[in-house]
Amino acid sequence: MHTDGNPSLDLRFAGADGSEKDGVSTTVIKLKDPKYPFEVALYVAAYKQQDVFKTWTEIRHQEKGNVVLSNYASAMLHFDRQHYFLTQFHGDWAEEMKMQESELTSGIKVLDTKLGTRAAMYQSPFFMLSLNRLSTETTGEVVGGTLAWTGNFRFAFELDEVNSLRVVAGINPYASAYTLAPNTTFTTPGFIFSYSNTGRHDLSNRLQRWAAKYGVLNGDKPRDVLLNNWEATFFDFDEPKLATLFGEGHDLGADIFLLDDGWFANKYPRNADNAGLGDWEVNKKKLPNGIGNLVKTAEGKGIKFGIWVEPEMVNPKSELYEKHPDWVLQLQNREEHYYRNQLVLDLINPKVQDFVFGVLDKLLTENPTIAYIKWDCNRMITNAYSPYLKNDQSKLYVDYVRGLYKVLDRVRAKYPSLPMMLCSGGGARVDYGALPYFSEFWASDNTDGVERVYMQWGYSYFFPSFTVAAHVTSWGKQSLKFRTDVAMMGRLGYDIELDKLSKEELAFSRKAVATYKALQPVIAHGSLYRLISPYEENRAVLMYVDDQKSRAVLFSYNLHTRYREDLQLVKLQGLAPEKRYSIREINLEGDKAVLGVNNKVYSGDFLMKQGIGVSHWDPLKSVVLEITAE
């Protein structure tokens, strides 16, 4: 809407510029309205080595007053094919990343969210689009795309009457008409995508390699193994109990101990999730000697110390809420609406941004050897009203995310390399808008081994394995080996009562941690080959191969297989045909291998053309093979 009330826009080509730096070629296409001083610049960044594109838009004007933007996408992709198949991912708490595939029909298919903070709670901000026929791992044309935005997103797939498809991706404009002042710039988030005409492996491999260099913090650094106390203690802990866990973590081989929720607040102590959130002083009853003493005690036992925070949120039962009710997002003249007994702070307000940054800065300034932060976000935005915005409420959803990024920019300016986990009540915040500030994300609170096979399979299309925090816990009825093998496919961690493990289980776990650390370079940065999909068979098989084709790790999982179910040989991928490879079964329960291929040698050609048996007969069994060129 122009200043004079005209609701139209006519954009004409006005020139283009290009530049190249460090292997990234950027093209800027300039558009102008011939009747109004209104400009749009379309940016396309081509990452040549990774074969990935990022597009975004900058909008400016020089009109005499404000202009209102009602729709501001980051990208529009146009296709002309006979058929289009959409692969999307959706879910809820503890059931994230459920994959669905369907053929698009005439009309508009929309994937979106209006949750504000926990944006990926129901719909995930990424998709694959197969052209002409449904792609497989090794065949077909397929596009994969994702929006780098930690808030409301919208993907619209519009199939018209001549069978052309337009894919429009960007911020969800729902309740978000944006008032833009003269001579200011509105920049949309980046839409990141790639294309493959040889199937999904090549597509995901490109996105993963792009992410390792550009999309996530410390993408070239090894990940530490951590022990979390949540399932061992929940809110019930004290200094002696934590000190015992420090020692157990070190004995396991973990690098970091992560103290989860419950360490803070005094007037309204954080003994449950209904109080204390927002009052970030250490709880003197539980921890009379403070966080600094815990850090020193942990380091004295040979393990680094990390800590959980949820700084964007507040409990009504807190000193912060009593002092600053005006710092909370909530509708006037309406009853407060709680989710997990909490409300969202108004991160649009610069004073609130200072407060949230101060939570981290105080912790890290007073305890400079804290080695890890888990940043949680357990609530979506409801009853949306910003006291700070007053009469300009339609900016709320956009400016909240921008406020979050301003805080994270300050954190990274002062603490550029500190590892941090991106968490949101499970996997409700997984996007490349936030991940450049974080070293990994929490995939789901559901750590059941079978469920995680499906979840991690879905995440693997868009994210490198080392970004997926995967913990061994007491969830699930599978063996400790099965759950450990699944967690080793991501960034391995533990959240389990180690003192409840048997001597044999503890010995197995110590050995597994050591094995994981030795194999992490291959798992983290090797090419991933998804060999047998759990969506197609009652098992899952995948393998990672290093760039030299000299080392590989294969994971095989029987799911709920039937008695004597026919499990065919599996043809491996990514090896060198001329090389000879020795097979070693690892992560054994006891010392007995279960497959007949252990300690045998095969040519790469044989392994890829003939294949080998990689599955045990019984349900809920797993096998890990280390494959090494001689």
Side-chain angles (χ1 to χ4, degrees), residues 14 18 47 87 110 125 160 223 321 326 329 337 344 382 407 450 515:
Y47 299 83
T87 302
V110 174
D160 67 17
R223 267 36 181 178
Y321 183 80
D326 57 318
L329 294 178
H337 174 255
V344 182
T382 59
V407 172
V450 170
T515 299

Side-chain angles (χ1 to χ4, degrees), residues 201-265:
H201 162 75
D202 286 341
L203 174 73
S204 65
N205 193 53
R206 291 165 186 166
L207 291 171
Q208 289 170 8
R209 292 186 182 275
W210 173 87
K213 187 168 184 179
Y214 300 102
V216 64
L217 183 74
N218 301 337
D220 58 344
K221 300 288 196 309
R223 267 36 181 178
D224 287 332
V225 175
L226 67 83
L227 172 65
N228 196 342
N229 71 301
W230 181 245
E231 288 200 16
T233 67
F234 294 98
F235 293 101
D236 183 19
F237 55 81
D238 55 21
E239 289 178 351
K241 185 180 288 188
L242 294 179
T244 299
L245 295 177
F246 297 159
E248 291 175 353
H250 173 69
D251 185 52
L252 176 69
D255 304 292
I256 295 175
F257 176 85
L258 173 61
L259 176 59
D260 214 289
D261 196 357
W263 59 268
F264 52 92

Side-chain angles (χ1 to χ4, degrees), residues 546-565:
D546 72 1
D547 291 343
Q548 293 73 38
K549 301 181 184 295
S550 60
R551 297 180 74 200
V553 184
L554 182 144
F555 295 89
S556 174
Y557 305 97
N558 280 12
L559 303 177
H560 298 287
T561 47
R562 304 291 299 276
Y563 175 71
R564 300 290 289 179
E565 184 171 336

Side-chain angles (χ1 to χ4, degrees), residues 141-175:
E141 288 186 282
V142 59
V143 175
T146 182
L147 189 69
W149 185 246
T150 317
N152 291 348
F153 63 86
R154 184 177 187 266
F155 302 141
F157 304 84
E158 182 180 2
L159 187 59
D160 67 17
E161 70 282 357
V162 294
N163 214 51
S164 292
L165 178 69
R166 283 172 293 279
V167 180
V168 182
I171 295 174
N172 192 341
Y174 166 78

Side-chain angles (χ1 to χ4, degrees), residues 481-498:
K481 170 183 165 51
F482 189 101
R483 288 174 281 142
T484 302
D485 291 348
V486 173
M488 282 179 64
M489 293 193 301
R491 195 278 293 132
L492 176 65
Y494 286 77
D495 192 350
I496 195 169
E497 295 178 272
L498 294 174

Side-chain angles (χ1 to χ4, degrees), residues 74-141:
S74 297
M76 195 285 283
L77 304 181
H78 184 105
F79 301 97
D80 286 296
R81 297 292 193 279
Q82 289 183 319
H83 300 279
Y84 310 92
F85 295 86
L86 177 66
T87 302
Q88 65 187 87
F89 302 86
H90 70 103
D92 197 351
W93 178 82
E95 51 175 342
E96 293 88 344
M97 287 303 290
K98 293 188 289 188
M99 186 169 73
Q100 283 187 317
E101 298 184 312
S102 59
E103 183 172 3
L104 293 173
T105 57
S106 179
I108 303 177
K109 166 87 171 184
V110 174
L111 306 179
D112 74 348
T113 183
K114 304 177 181 71
L115 299 178
T117 46
R118 297 187 68 195
M121 185 172 179
Y122 298 137
Q123 293 288 347
S124 297
F126 30 82
F127 65 87
M128 289 186 291
L129 180 70
S130 300
L131 307 176
N132 279 332
R133 59 189 175 89
L134 190 61
S135 59
T136 69
E137 288 297 316
T138 56
T139 65
E141 288 186 282

Side-chain angles (χ1 to χ4, degrees), residues 522-547:
V522 182
I523 298 170
H525 297 289
S527 294
L528 170 62
Y529 295 86
R530 291 171 290 265
L531 304 178
I532 302 291
S533 170
Y535 287 91
E536 296 174 0
E537 292 192 24
N538 215 349
R539 59 175 174 161
V541 184
L542 64 167
M543 64 185 292
Y544 302 86
V545 183
D546 72 1
D547 291 343

